[in-house]
Amino acid sequence: MKTALITLSVEGLTLLQRVRALNPGADLYLHESVANRPADVIPFSAIIPLTARIFDQYRELVYAAPCGVVLRALAPVLQHKLTDPAVVVTDVLGRWAISLLSGHEGGANDLALRLANQIGAEPVITTTSEALRQIIVGIGCRRGTPAERIIAAIHAGLALAGCTINEVRLIASADLKADETGLLEAALQLGLQLRFISSDEICKSSRRFGHSDFVKTKVGLPAVAEPAALLAGRRTQLLLPKTIIQGVTVAVAREDCLL
């Protein structure tokens, strides 16, 4: 899947170089006005003709640029939601990853979440079917825990919380679990997106959650499942505090609660 990274500024370049380091096959486009351009970027003179030229060449377009600029560039070339590439926009400081075009069918929702996990941004996904799902399941597990045990724990935790898998928007964990094979496979089998919360955000969070000396000793964090569930969404409240099920720690939170 070919990916294009596009930006107009040196700040955007710094951000997208981080992204490309994690996506080595991506092409990086940089406006020609930026001085001292690296040799491995592709210069362009204007974003509207560039977008028209590359729109059909990539399945993913990531812009580190203002949304308005990107919208004006996309408007003349839009065709159909089933054929247009996935488009995600981030601000040049990497605070937001916005699924802008072809969110569900084209994969922009998944791309926004993947980008958010890579740069520590907040994913912004407005697809109605996603927005109506308000449950987040936080997971903590030992290294090497199989997917089947994680899936069973998720279902059991949801039952304890009075929820079903169809209400779940995200599975969440700490970034130190980003390479946890069982967790990745569990999310894939369940057809759910997986968000990783940075360890720094967990440590600095003012949200109230249970702390564990055991977790602190093992991974250097005060907790994993509860803060992941709370911090992966907005206006969240715990429905199920951390509960250990077959060796997997599960916490369930609901979004859009009045705090």
Side-chain angles (χ1 to χ4, degrees), residues 90-134:
T90 179
D91 61 287
V92 296
L93 296 181
R95 292 168 295 194
W96 314 99
I98 304 166
S99 174
L100 189 69
L101 180 69
S102 301
H104 182 68
E105 292 84 355
N109 292 349
D110 291 336
L111 174 59
L113 188 64
R114 190 171 83 236
L115 182 64
N117 285 336
Q118 291 174 348
I119 64 175
E122 179 70 24
V124 179
I125 297 170
T126 58
T127 307
T128 300
S129 59
E130 299 286 341
L132 291 177
R133 295 184 177 191
Q134 297 176 300

Side-chain angles (χ1 to χ4, degrees), residues 148-211:
E148 292 73 18
R149 191 187 303 170
I150 295 172
I151 291 171
I154 289 172
H155 282 292
L158 288 169
L160 290 172
C163 305
T164 69
I165 197 71
N166 292 331
E167 299 174 78
V168 177
R169 185 170 75 84
L170 291 172
I171 299 172
S173 193
D175 58 358
L176 52 83
K177 292 293 182 183
D179 63 346
E180 186 64 52
T181 303
L183 186 56
L184 296 171
E185 181 61 31
L188 184 64
Q189 289 187 32
L190 291 170
L192 292 171
Q193 294 179 326
L194 182 56
R195 183 169 181 208
F196 294 106
I197 307 300
S198 76
S199 298
D200 186 59
E201 185 176 357
I202 290 174
C203 291
K204 292 180 178 179
S205 174
S206 60
R207 296 297 303 269
R208 296 182 63 180
F209 52 83
H211 289 222

Side-chain angles (χ1 to χ4, degrees), residues 11 14 22 38 50 73-75 88 94 117 129 142 148 152 161 197 207 209 212 214 217 233 240 253:
E11 294 85 1
T14 299
L22 298 170
L50 170 71
L74 291 172
V88 168
N117 285 336
S129 59
R142 294 177 182 271
E148 292 73 18
I197 307 300
R207 296 297 303 269
F209 52 83
S212 167
F214 176 79
T217 300
L240 178 73

Side-chain angles (χ1 to χ4, degrees), residues 4 6 14 46 48 87 129 172 245 250:
I6 305 124
T14 299
I48 291 178
V87 178
S129 59
I245 303 171
V250 180

